[in-house]
């Protein structure tokens, strides 16, 4: 994707009603490449791969259609010479598709190609993004080795670093709506005997967690302690994992509790 860069501009943060339709993660697969746009509040993160990504803050200037989006780059992939620059785009959402494109070139219409960049993206639910097998480490205990978390539908299988099946848990989970960061409530369906002896964990217990997926990394942690910052002040667990086996089956999101 090429960038149309301008010097910095001064506009106000968009109102919540303007931002709401944009919220979430949007994906496009074109010519074998996947582009992901994640929008949280007025933050926009574009990611194609480790060599091409950028994080921005954006505004939605008032004016005649189509709606403009001015994104100021805060950080980006090397060489990071775009920091502080403004990407000017236009967008529309129709039929569940977000079309994000550069302003029309001379003698062309809005959203018509060719243009400097032109993306058609579909929103991806958090449940769908979680599907598959993730491998990684527990932060602070990397020397213990690799652990895996496999998610199929709303079932979660945890294989820790313990031996002889002493660190294996199964659970079903829900994703409560309207939480930031996204919460995950896991209800245990199997617990190894050793875990029962070492802690008061039992089948049916609920394990609350928060998670985020950024740049292909799943970070999952216990809820923060005493109102602390998420993913920083952790009481019990903190994992960082990369997907090693995608789950191809399409997932229909069910209502969260």
């Amino acid at each position: 994707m090429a960038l149309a860069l301008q010097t910095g501009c001064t506009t106000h943060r968009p109102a919540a009603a303007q931002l709401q339709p944009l919220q979430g993660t949007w994906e496009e697969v074109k010519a074998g490449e996947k582009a992901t746009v994640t929008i949280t509040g007025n933050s926009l993160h574009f990611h194609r791969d480790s060599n091409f990504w950028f994080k921005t803050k954006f505004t939605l200037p008032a004016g005649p259609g189509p709606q403009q989006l001015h994104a100021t780059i805060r950080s980006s992939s090397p060489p990071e010479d775009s920091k502080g620059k403004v990407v000017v785009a236009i967008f529309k959402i129709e039929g569940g598709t977000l079309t994000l494109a550069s302003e029309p070139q001379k003698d062309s219409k809005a959203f018509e190609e060719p243009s400097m960049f032109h993306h058609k993206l579909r929103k991806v639910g958090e449940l769908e993004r979680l599907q598959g097998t993730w491998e990684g480490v527990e932060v602070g205990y990397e020397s213990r080795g690799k652990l895996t978390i496999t998610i199929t539908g709303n079932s979660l299988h945890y294989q820790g670093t313990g031996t002889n099946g002493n660190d294996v848990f199964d659970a079903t989970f829900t994703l409560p709506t309207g939480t930031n960061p996204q919460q995950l409530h896991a209800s245990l369906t199997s617990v190894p005997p050793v875990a029962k002896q070492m802690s008061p964990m039992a089948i049916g217990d609920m394990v609350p967690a928060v998670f985020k997926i950024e740049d292909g990394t799943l970070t999952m942690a216990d809820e923060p302690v005493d109102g602390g910052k998420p993913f920083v002040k952790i009481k019990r667990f903190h994992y960082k994992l990369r997907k090693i086996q995608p789950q191809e089956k399409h997932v229909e999101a069910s209502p969260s509790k």
Side-chain angles (χ1 to χ4, degrees):
M1 181 177 99
L3 301 182
L5 299 178
Q6 295 187 355
T7 56
C9 60
T10 302
T11 48
H12 296 291
R13 174 175 175 159
Q18 292 178 286
L19 290 170
Q20 186 55 44
L22 288 166
Q23 302 302 294
T25 297
W26 305 78
E27 288 186 350
E28 173 192 57
V29 178
K30 181 165 58 176
E33 289 186 338
K34 182 169 75 172
T36 303
V37 173
T38 301
I39 299 175
T40 306
N42 72 321
S43 297
L44 183 152
H45 180 192
F46 178 91
H47 182 268
R48 189 188 67 195
D49 53 44
S50 60
N51 296 317
F52 193 83
W53 60 266
F54 51 87
K55 296 182 179 181
T56 76
K57 292 284 189 180
F58 68 89
T59 59
L60 301 176
Q67 175 64 62
Q68 288 192 348
L69 182 152
H70 293 180
T72 302
I73 297 176
R74 299 298 183 89
S75 61
S76 65
S77 50
E80 297 191 23
D81 56 359
S82 298
K83 185 175 181 180
K85 301 295 185 179
V86 177
V87 181
V88 178
I90 55 175
F91 75 90
K92 62 181 179 180
I93 301 175
E94 294 179 346
T97 296
L98 168 63
T99 303
L100 187 66
S102 61
E103 292 187 295
Q105 309 269 327
K106 183 179 179 181
D107 299 327
S108 65
K109 295 181 180 180
F111 304 110
E112 283 189 353
E113 298 190 70
S115 59
M116 294 187 70
F117 59 89
H118 189 276
H119 298 283
K120 288 193 172 185
L121 307 109
R122 298 286 296 182
K123 184 173 283 189
V124 181
E126 291 299 287
L127 181 61
E128 186 173 352
R129 296 179 72 206
L130 282 170
Q131 302 302 300
T133 297
W134 303 79
E135 182 182 73
V137 296
E138 184 169 7
V139 176
Y141 300 95
E142 290 83 357
S143 62
R144 293 181 179 177
K146 300 288 187 180
L147 59 90
T148 60
I149 294 177
T150 300
I151 297 175
T152 307
N154 70 326
S155 296
L156 183 153
H157 175 76
Y158 171 90
Q159 174 68 62
T161 58
T163 58
N164 300 323
N166 294 334
D167 200 10
V168 180
F169 297 87
D170 290 290
T172 58
F173 66 89
T174 59
L175 301 178
T177 58
T179 59
N180 186 22
Q182 176 64 59
Q183 294 182 3
L184 182 151
H185 292 174
S187 179
L188 296 175
T189 56
S190 71
V191 178
V194 172
K196 295 178 183 178
Q197 298 170 11
M198 297 176 61
S199 67
M201 299 178 69
I203 292 175
D205 284 355
M206 196 274 282
V207 180
V210 293
F211 74 90
K212 61 182 179 180
I213 302 174
E214 293 182 346
D215 301 333
T217 296
L218 168 62
T219 304
M220 184 176 292
D222 190 14
E223 292 183 315
V225 178
D226 300 327
K229 292 184 66 174
F231 310 109
V232 177
K233 194 174 182 181
I234 308 302
K235 184 178 180 181
R236 290 188 293 177
F237 58 89
H238 186 190
Y239 308 128
K240 284 186 176 290
L241 312 104
R242 300 282 297 182
K243 186 174 286 189
I244 59 172
Q245 181 182 340
Q247 173 58 260
E248 298 295 341
K249 183 180 179 181
H250 177 70
V251 177
E252 295 289 346
S254 58
S256 300
K257 297 181 180 178

